[in-house]
């Protein structure tokens, strides 16, 4: 694993997720929501993503059939878009509601 320094001192939630940047190639890993931001670490291979809360422009929640929380997009202030899929989306959004301005968390619309 390539070395990197932790973004968070306190981890509030760690879940299994799949991350994709192109809608085709899904990469399994873990997502940690902590006191300073989101940290994704890829399972089995090198790779990590760190997104500080102060760099998040918007979180778009993916809801299928008005009932199933499929995952969420994190859009950063520099225009990057990260797609995380998990069956624990509600738990993540619950923590993010305490960390971010609630106006930044919206429902995803195509």
């Amino acid at each position: 694993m390539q070395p990197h320094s932790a973004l968070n001192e306190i981890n509030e939630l760690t879940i299994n997720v799949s991350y994709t940047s192109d809608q085709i190639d899904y990469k399994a890993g873990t997502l940690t929501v902590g006191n300073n931001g989101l940290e994704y670490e890829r399972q089995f291979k090198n790779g990590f993503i760190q997104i500080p809360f102060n760099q998040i422009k918007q979180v778009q929640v993916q809801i299928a059939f008005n009932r199933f929380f499929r995952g969420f997009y994190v859009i950063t202030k520099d225009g990057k878009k990260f797609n995380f899929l998990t069956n624990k989306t509600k738990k993540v959004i619950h923590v993010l509601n305490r960390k971010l301005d609630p106006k930044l968390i919206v429902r995803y619309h195509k």
Side-chain angles (χ1 to χ4, degrees), residues 39-54:
E39 292 184 271
Y40 164 80
E41 194 156 340
R42 188 169 175 192
Q43 186 178 16
F44 304 123
K45 291 188 177 183
N46 291 341
F48 68 95
I49 299 169
Q50 294 178 323
I51 309 170
F53 289 132
N54 64 5

Side-chain angles (χ1 to χ4, degrees), residues 7-26:
L7 176 65
N8 298 303
E9 292 90 34
I10 300 168
N11 295 333
E12 295 192 27
L13 177 67
T14 300
I15 59 167
N16 293 324
V17 298
S18 292
Y19 161 74
T20 182
S21 57
D22 60 11
Q23 302 295 331
I24 296 172
D25 184 25
Y26 290 89

